[in-house]
mmCIF file of all heavy atoms in Angstrom:
data_model
loop_
_atom_site.group_PDB
_atom_site.id
_atom_site.type_symbol
_atom_site.label_atom_id
_atom_site.label_comp_id
_atom_site.label_asym_id
_atom_site.label_seq_id
_atom_site.Cartn_x
_atom_site.Cartn_y
_atom_site.Cartn_z
ATOM 1 N N LYS C 1 157.294 128.571 -26.347
ATOM 2 C CA LYS C 1 155.965 128.429 -25.788
ATOM 3 C C LYS C 1 156.093 128.034 -24.326
ATOM 4 O O LYS C 1 156.614 126.973 -23.999
ATOM 5 C CB LYS C 1 155.161 127.379 -26.547
ATOM 6 C CG LYS C 1 154.907 127.746 -28.003
ATOM 7 C CD LYS C 1 154.164 126.636 -28.717
ATOM 8 C CE LYS C 1 153.936 126.985 -30.186
ATOM 9 N NZ LYS C 1 153.293 125.890 -30.919
ATOM 10 N N ILE C 2 155.647 128.902 -23.438
ATOM 11 C CA ILE C 2 155.665 128.600 -22.013
ATOM 12 C C ILE C 2 154.261 128.179 -21.634
ATOM 13 O O ILE C 2 153.323 128.965 -21.687
ATOM 14 C CB ILE C 2 156.116 129.803 -21.185
ATOM 15 C CG1 ILE C 2 157.558 130.149 -21.543
ATOM 16 C CG2 ILE C 2 155.980 129.504 -19.702
ATOM 17 C CD1 ILE C 2 158.104 131.290 -20.763
ATOM 18 N N LYS C 3 154.118 126.886 -21.286
ATOM 19 C CA LYS C 3 152.799 126.332 -21.037
ATOM 20 C C LYS C 3 152.537 126.212 -19.559
ATOM 21 O O LYS C 3 153.343 125.706 -18.798
ATOM 22 C CB LYS C 3 152.677 124.943 -21.657
ATOM 23 C CG LYS C 3 152.685 124.918 -23.174
ATOM 24 C CD LYS C 3 152.430 123.506 -23.666
ATOM 25 C CE LYS C 3 152.403 123.449 -25.184
ATOM 26 N NZ LYS C 3 152.189 122.085 -25.670
ATOM 27 N N TYR C 4 151.354 126.696 -19.167
ATOM 28 C CA TYR C 4 150.832 126.272 -17.885
ATOM 29 C C TYR C 4 150.314 124.859 -18.093
ATOM 30 O O TYR C 4 149.758 124.530 -19.132
ATOM 31 C CB TYR C 4 149.679 127.178 -17.449
ATOM 32 C CG TYR C 4 150.103 128.474 -16.831
ATOM 33 C CD1 TYR C 4 149.413 129.653 -17.095
ATOM 34 C CD2 TYR C 4 151.165 128.517 -15.949
ATOM 35 C CE1 TYR C 4 149.780 130.841 -16.496
ATOM 36 C CE2 TYR C 4 151.540 129.701 -15.336
ATOM 37 C CZ TYR C 4 150.841 130.851 -15.614
ATOM 38 O OH TYR C 4 151.204 132.019 -15.007
ATOM 39 N N LEU C 5 150.459 124.022 -17.072
ATOM 40 C CA LEU C 5 150.356 122.591 -17.292
ATOM 41 C C LEU C 5 149.002 122.025 -16.889
ATOM 42 O O LEU C 5 148.903 121.058 -16.157
ATOM 43 C CB LEU C 5 151.464 121.890 -16.527
ATOM 44 C CG LEU C 5 152.852 122.428 -16.892
ATOM 45 C CD1 LEU C 5 153.879 121.883 -15.940
ATOM 46 C CD2 LEU C 5 153.181 122.075 -18.315
ATOM 47 N N ILE C 6 147.930 122.623 -17.386
ATOM 48 C CA ILE C 6 146.612 122.060 -17.171
ATOM 49 C C ILE C 6 146.112 121.480 -18.473
ATOM 50 O O ILE C 6 146.611 121.783 -19.553
ATOM 51 C CB ILE C 6 145.609 123.108 -16.648
ATOM 52 C CG1 ILE C 6 145.541 124.310 -17.593
ATOM 53 C CG2 ILE C 6 145.978 123.547 -15.255
ATOM 54 C CD1 ILE C 6 144.476 125.302 -17.209
ATOM 55 N N ILE C 7 145.104 120.621 -18.400
ATOM 56 C CA ILE C 7 144.528 120.022 -19.595
ATOM 57 C C ILE C 7 143.095 120.499 -19.753
ATOM 58 O O ILE C 7 142.208 120.052 -19.050
ATOM 59 C CB ILE C 7 144.513 118.494 -19.514
ATOM 60 C CG1 ILE C 7 145.913 117.972 -19.299
ATOM 61 C CG2 ILE C 7 143.927 117.892 -20.774
ATOM 62 C CD1 ILE C 7 145.967 116.489 -19.211
ATOM 63 N N PRO C 8 142.817 121.424 -20.675
ATOM 64 C CA PRO C 8 141.435 121.748 -20.979
ATOM 65 C C PRO C 8 140.783 120.557 -21.658
ATOM 66 O O PRO C 8 141.450 119.680 -22.191
ATOM 67 C CB PRO C 8 141.534 122.945 -21.927
ATOM 68 C CG PRO C 8 142.909 123.485 -21.686
ATOM 69 C CD PRO C 8 143.754 122.290 -21.348
ATOM 70 N N LEU C 9 139.459 120.526 -21.658
ATOM 71 C CA LEU C 9 138.763 119.411 -22.267
ATOM 72 C C LEU C 9 138.935 119.397 -23.777
ATOM 73 O O LEU C 9 138.860 118.353 -24.405
ATOM 74 C CB LEU C 9 137.266 119.477 -21.916
ATOM 75 C CG LEU C 9 136.967 119.379 -20.416
ATOM 76 C CD1 LEU C 9 135.470 119.477 -20.184
ATOM 77 C CD2 LEU C 9 137.515 118.081 -19.850
ATOM 78 N N ILE C 10 139.160 120.563 -24.381
ATOM 79 C CA ILE C 10 139.236 120.625 -25.833
ATOM 80 C C ILE C 10 140.652 120.871 -26.302
ATOM 81 O O ILE C 10 141.133 120.252 -27.233
ATOM 82 C CB ILE C 10 138.296 121.714 -26.386
ATOM 83 C CG1 ILE C 10 136.854 121.414 -25.960
ATOM 84 C CG2 ILE C 10 138.404 121.810 -27.894
ATOM 85 C CD1 ILE C 10 135.874 122.486 -26.354
ATOM 86 N N LEU C 11 141.373 121.777 -25.677
ATOM 87 C CA LEU C 11 142.716 122.112 -26.131
ATOM 88 C C LEU C 11 143.563 122.545 -24.964
ATOM 89 O O LEU C 11 143.079 122.864 -23.900
ATOM 90 C CB LEU C 11 142.675 123.227 -27.174
ATOM 91 C CG LEU C 11 142.406 124.651 -26.652
ATOM 92 C CD1 LEU C 11 142.812 125.659 -27.716
ATOM 93 C CD2 LEU C 11 140.939 124.833 -26.331
ATOM 94 N N ILE C 12 144.883 122.520 -25.181
ATOM 95 C CA ILE C 12 145.834 122.978 -24.178
ATOM 96 C C ILE C 12 146.023 124.470 -24.341
ATOM 97 O O ILE C 12 146.397 124.942 -25.402
ATOM 98 C CB ILE C 12 147.178 122.249 -24.337
ATOM 99 C CG1 ILE C 12 146.987 120.753 -24.103
ATOM 100 C CG2 ILE C 12 148.221 122.817 -23.393
ATOM 101 C CD1 ILE C 12 148.209 119.941 -24.433
ATOM 102 N N LEU C 13 145.737 125.222 -23.292
ATOM 103 C CA LEU C 13 145.948 126.662 -23.321
ATOM 104 C C LEU C 13 147.400 126.950 -23.059
ATOM 105 O O LEU C 13 148.021 126.330 -22.199
ATOM 106 C CB LEU C 13 145.081 127.346 -22.253
ATOM 107 C CG LEU C 13 143.573 127.199 -22.423
ATOM 108 C CD1 LEU C 13 142.889 127.868 -21.253
ATOM 109 C CD2 LEU C 13 143.110 127.796 -23.719
ATOM 110 N N PHE C 14 147.982 127.891 -23.793
ATOM 111 C CA PHE C 14 149.355 128.257 -23.532
ATOM 112 C C PHE C 14 149.571 129.706 -23.872
ATOM 113 O O PHE C 14 148.810 130.317 -24.606
ATOM 114 C CB PHE C 14 150.346 127.373 -24.305
ATOM 115 C CG PHE C 14 150.150 127.394 -25.796
ATOM 116 C CD1 PHE C 14 150.740 128.367 -26.574
ATOM 117 C CD2 PHE C 14 149.383 126.420 -26.407
ATOM 118 C CE1 PHE C 14 150.565 128.380 -27.939
ATOM 119 C CE2 PHE C 14 149.204 126.442 -27.779
ATOM 120 C CZ PHE C 14 149.800 127.408 -28.548
ATOM 121 N N LEU C 15 150.643 130.265 -23.311
ATOM 122 C CA LEU C 15 151.066 131.628 -23.584
ATOM 123 C C LEU C 15 152.314 131.569 -24.421
ATOM 124 O O LEU C 15 153.201 130.771 -24.168
ATOM 125 C CB LEU C 15 151.358 132.367 -22.279
ATOM 126 C CG LEU C 15 150.154 132.530 -21.363
ATOM 127 C CD1 LEU C 15 150.610 133.037 -20.009
ATOM 128 C CD2 LEU C 15 149.145 133.457 -21.968
ATOM 129 N N THR C 16 152.418 132.390 -25.457
ATOM 130 C CA THR C 16 153.562 132.350 -26.345
ATOM 131 C C THR C 16 154.424 133.574 -26.129
ATOM 132 O O THR C 16 153.938 134.688 -26.129
ATOM 133 C CB THR C 16 153.089 132.323 -27.816
ATOM 134 O OG1 THR C 16 152.215 131.220 -27.985
ATOM 135 C CG2 THR C 16 154.276 132.188 -28.747
ATOM 136 N N LEU C 17 155.714 133.345 -25.966
ATOM 137 C CA LEU C 17 156.666 134.428 -25.788
ATOM 138 C C LEU C 17 157.644 134.423 -26.938
ATOM 139 O O LEU C 17 158.174 133.378 -27.306
ATOM 140 C CB LEU C 17 157.430 134.253 -24.472
ATOM 141 C CG LEU C 17 156.574 134.238 -23.208
ATOM 142 C CD1 LEU C 17 157.471 134.086 -22.005
ATOM 143 C CD2 LEU C 17 155.767 135.503 -23.100
ATOM 144 N N GLY C 18 157.926 135.591 -27.540
ATOM 145 C CA GLY C 18 158.904 135.670 -28.604
ATOM 146 C C GLY C 18 160.297 135.728 -28.033
ATOM 147 O O GLY C 18 160.535 136.281 -26.973
ATOM 148 N N VAL C 19 161.260 135.106 -28.711
ATOM 149 C CA VAL C 19 162.642 135.152 -28.271
ATOM 150 C C VAL C 19 163.154 136.572 -28.417
ATOM 151 O O VAL C 19 163.212 137.115 -29.506
ATOM 152 C CB VAL C 19 163.500 134.186 -29.103
ATOM 153 C CG1 VAL C 19 164.955 134.290 -28.672
ATOM 154 C CG2 VAL C 19 163.004 132.756 -28.963
ATOM 155 N N GLY C 20 163.550 137.182 -27.314
ATOM 156 C CA GLY C 20 164.119 138.521 -27.356
ATOM 157 C C GLY C 20 163.099 139.631 -27.263
ATOM 158 O O GLY C 20 163.454 140.776 -27.067
ATOM 159 N N CYS C 21 161.809 139.304 -27.428
ATOM 160 C CA CYS C 21 160.799 140.359 -27.299
ATOM 161 C C CYS C 21 159.485 139.732 -26.891
ATOM 162 O O CYS C 21 159.073 138.744 -27.454
ATOM 163 C CB CYS C 21 160.625 141.132 -28.606
ATOM 164 S SG CYS C 21 160.098 140.139 -29.998
ATOM 165 N N LEU C 22 158.841 140.339 -25.915
ATOM 166 C CA LEU C 22 157.529 139.865 -25.508
ATOM 167 C C LEU C 22 156.501 140.227 -26.554
ATOM 168 O O LEU C 22 156.515 141.315 -27.098
ATOM 169 C CB LEU C 22 157.130 140.511 -24.178
ATOM 170 C CG LEU C 22 157.766 139.927 -22.915
ATOM 171 C CD1 LEU C 22 157.386 140.803 -21.741
ATOM 172 C CD2 LEU C 22 157.278 138.521 -22.702
ATOM 173 N N LEU C 23 155.600 139.294 -26.840
ATOM 174 C CA LEU C 23 154.479 139.656 -27.680
ATOM 175 C C LEU C 23 153.667 140.726 -26.981
ATOM 176 O O LEU C 23 153.509 140.694 -25.767
ATOM 177 C CB LEU C 23 153.597 138.426 -27.944
ATOM 178 C CG LEU C 23 154.211 137.350 -28.833
ATOM 179 C CD1 LEU C 23 153.225 136.200 -28.970
ATOM 180 C CD2 LEU C 23 154.542 137.905 -30.208
ATOM 181 N N PRO C 24 153.128 141.702 -27.702
ATOM 182 C CA PRO C 24 152.402 142.794 -27.065
ATOM 183 C C PRO C 24 151.139 142.307 -26.397
ATOM 184 O O PRO C 24 150.566 141.300 -26.810
ATOM 185 C CB PRO C 24 152.076 143.735 -28.236
ATOM 186 C CG PRO C 24 152.159 142.881 -29.446
ATOM 187 C CD PRO C 24 153.192 141.849 -29.167
ATOM 188 N N PRO C 25 150.693 142.998 -25.329
ATOM 189 C CA PRO C 25 149.462 142.623 -24.658
ATOM 190 C C PRO C 25 148.255 143.028 -25.475
ATOM 191 O O PRO C 25 148.328 143.266 -26.662
ATOM 192 C CB PRO C 25 149.547 143.394 -23.338
ATOM 193 C CG PRO C 25 150.390 144.577 -23.659
ATOM 194 C CD PRO C 25 151.370 144.116 -24.690
ATOM 195 N N SER C 26 147.101 143.143 -24.792
ATOM 196 C CA SER C 26 145.853 143.373 -25.502
ATOM 197 C C SER C 26 145.806 144.702 -26.230
ATOM 198 O O SER C 26 144.901 144.937 -27.004
ATOM 199 C CB SER C 26 144.680 143.301 -24.512
ATOM 200 O OG SER C 26 144.842 144.270 -23.499
ATOM 201 N N VAL C 27 146.801 145.568 -26.014
ATOM 202 C CA VAL C 27 146.775 146.861 -26.673
ATOM 203 C C VAL C 27 147.277 146.784 -28.111
ATOM 204 O O VAL C 27 147.428 147.793 -28.759
ATOM 205 C CB VAL C 27 147.628 147.893 -25.903
ATOM 206 C CG1 VAL C 27 147.048 148.135 -24.537
ATOM 207 C CG2 VAL C 27 149.078 147.441 -25.786
ATOM 208 N N VAL C 28 147.537 145.597 -28.612
ATOM 209 C CA VAL C 28 148.056 145.461 -29.975
ATOM 210 C C VAL C 28 147.085 146.044 -30.992
ATOM 211 O O VAL C 28 147.458 146.796 -31.872
ATOM 212 C CB VAL C 28 148.301 143.965 -30.294
ATOM 213 C CG1 VAL C 28 148.694 143.812 -31.756
ATOM 214 C CG2 VAL C 28 149.382 143.402 -29.416
ATOM 215 N N THR C 29 145.833 145.689 -30.862
ATOM 216 C CA THR C 29 144.871 146.144 -31.864
ATOM 217 C C THR C 29 143.781 147.024 -31.279
ATOM 218 O O THR C 29 143.095 147.712 -32.027
ATOM 219 C CB THR C 29 144.204 144.952 -32.549
ATOM 220 O OG1 THR C 29 143.599 144.117 -31.557
ATOM 221 C CG2 THR C 29 145.225 144.124 -33.317
ATOM 222 N N THR C 30 143.601 146.984 -29.976
ATOM 223 C CA THR C 30 142.547 147.793 -29.357
ATOM 224 C C THR C 30 143.074 148.401 -28.076
ATOM 225 O O THR C 30 143.968 147.854 -27.438
ATOM 226 C CB THR C 30 141.303 146.944 -29.019
ATOM 227 O OG1 THR C 30 141.691 145.901 -28.132
ATOM 228 C CG2 THR C 30 140.679 146.360 -30.265
#
């Protein structure tokens, strides 16, 4: 999990990267 280091009021937003393969972008389902 590679986190940008800001604090949202409700939750911490983060981007998740798979080891050895990037998770697909928005074209995964649409």
Side-chain angles (χ1 to χ4, degrees):
K1 297 177 181 176
I2 296 181
K3 292 185 179 179
Y4 279 141
L5 305 170
I6 56 174
I7 303 180
L9 298 179
I10 301 175
L11 75 163
I12 297 172
L13 297 177
F14 58 86
L15 297 170
T16 304
L17 300 181
V19 178
C21 60
L22 282 173
L23 291 179
S26 59
V27 296
V28 174
T29 56
T30 59

